[in-house]
Amino acid sequence: MKKHLIVLTLMLCVGTAALAQGSFVVKAGLNFNSLNDIKVNNVEQAWNAQTGFHAGIGVQYKIPLIGLSFQPELLYSRMRTDIGQVSDHSYGFRLDYLEVPLNIQWGINILFLRPYIFASPYVRYALAKGDWLADVPWEDINRFDYGLSLGAGIEIWKFQVSGKYNWSFGQLAKDGSFHIDSDDWQLDDANFRGFELSVAFLF
């Protein structure tokens, strides 16, 4: 039975690759992600989003006739959030990730336009952190994160413009909770979520 499943999977992959039309993708955009579920004095709050960015490359494989395409990407993504004013000083919270989303798109070709909707499961790994986390060791931070994005876009000739909303399913704090600067702020279940706007060029 296992052999039959393996053979069937290989046949589907070969058939899909034979039908698919591939394009190289260069992508960049802005992140508007907030940090949610922070416990401040045992009350859950969210920190307002600051503007971050993402940039990277990918490959798009289109399957003609059914309007389906797959677009895996490799992105450098900066997540920022604004903690607010503390003692007349504005504090920001930042983590930089290496992110791998798989965009599964479905759209309809209308002359030179292709509007589409998509779902995008993703995984990412934290590479760098901002000053606000300087005193927090990496051992206390869950560097691996994963989640799902839903969005829509339009493809015009070789350009894509898209927007999506990200839901992180991971937790920022590793093995329980840790505090930032004050025992009043706990990031046990906190994670990032929010909007992203992107432009891409296909060639």
Side-chain angles (χ1 to χ4, degrees):
M1 185 65 179
K2 287 184 177 180
K3 291 182 179 179
H4 291 138
L5 289 174
I6 293 173
V7 171
L8 180 60
T9 302
L10 289 174
M11 290 176 63
L12 288 173
C13 290
V14 171
T16 301
L19 291 172
Q21 300 174 350
S23 299
F24 188 71
V25 179
V26 176
K27 186 175 186 177
L30 299 176
N31 302 334
F32 306 97
N33 291 336
S34 61
L35 195 63
N36 293 268
D37 299 332
I38 308 106
K39 288 186 178 180
V40 182
N41 292 324
N42 295 320
V43 177
E44 288 192 353
Q45 297 183 4
W47 289 338
N48 295 327
Q50 285 185 328
T51 304
F53 69 88
H54 58 273
I57 58 175
V59 181
Q60 184 194 73
Y61 296 101
K62 285 184 179 179
I63 303 176
L65 304 179
I66 61 175
L68 193 64
S69 65
F70 300 91
Q71 189 169 309
E73 298 167 348
L74 181 64
L75 305 174
Y76 189 91
S77 186
R78 172 164 292 180
M79 306 295 182
R80 300 177 64 199
T81 187
D82 185 19
I83 296 174
Q85 292 290 128
V86 179
S87 300
D88 297 325
H89 186 79
S90 179
Y91 286 97
F93 181 101
R94 174 176 62 82
L95 279 172
D96 293 359
Y97 288 93
L98 184 65
E99 184 172 328
V100 182
L102 172 58
N103 302 299
I104 304 170
Q105 304 173 348
W106 182 82
I108 301 175
N109 290 316
I110 306 173
L111 297 177
F112 58 90
L113 301 178
R114 178 177 169 262
Y116 61 91
I117 57 175
F118 65 96
S120 178
Y122 65 85
V123 294
R124 58 191 179 197
Y125 185 80
L127 299 177
K129 54 187 177 180
D131 294 339
W132 192 244
L133 288 171
D135 295 331
V136 179
W138 280 116
E139 290 77 12
D140 291 340
I141 300 174
N142 194 356
R143 302 177 75 169
F144 177 77
D145 191 21
Y146 62 100
L148 176 68
S149 306
L150 296 177
I154 187 168
E155 194 171 301
I156 307 172
W157 188 52
K158 293 182 178 294
F159 290 94
Q160 279 184 353
V161 180
S162 64
K164 65 180 181 179
Y165 190 87
N166 298 322
W167 288 273
S168 172
F169 299 151
Q171 294 181 351
L172 183 60
K174 187 175 182 180
D175 299 326
S177 64
F178 65 82
H179 304 278
I180 296 184
D181 188 67
S182 168
D183 290 340
D184 293 335
W185 294 351
Q186 302 178 39
L187 275 71
D188 46 0
D189 296 324
N191 55 30
F192 284 107
R193 66 190 70 165
F195 288 99
E196 289 186 14
L197 297 176
S198 304
V199 294
F201 180 70
L202 290 71
F203 58 93

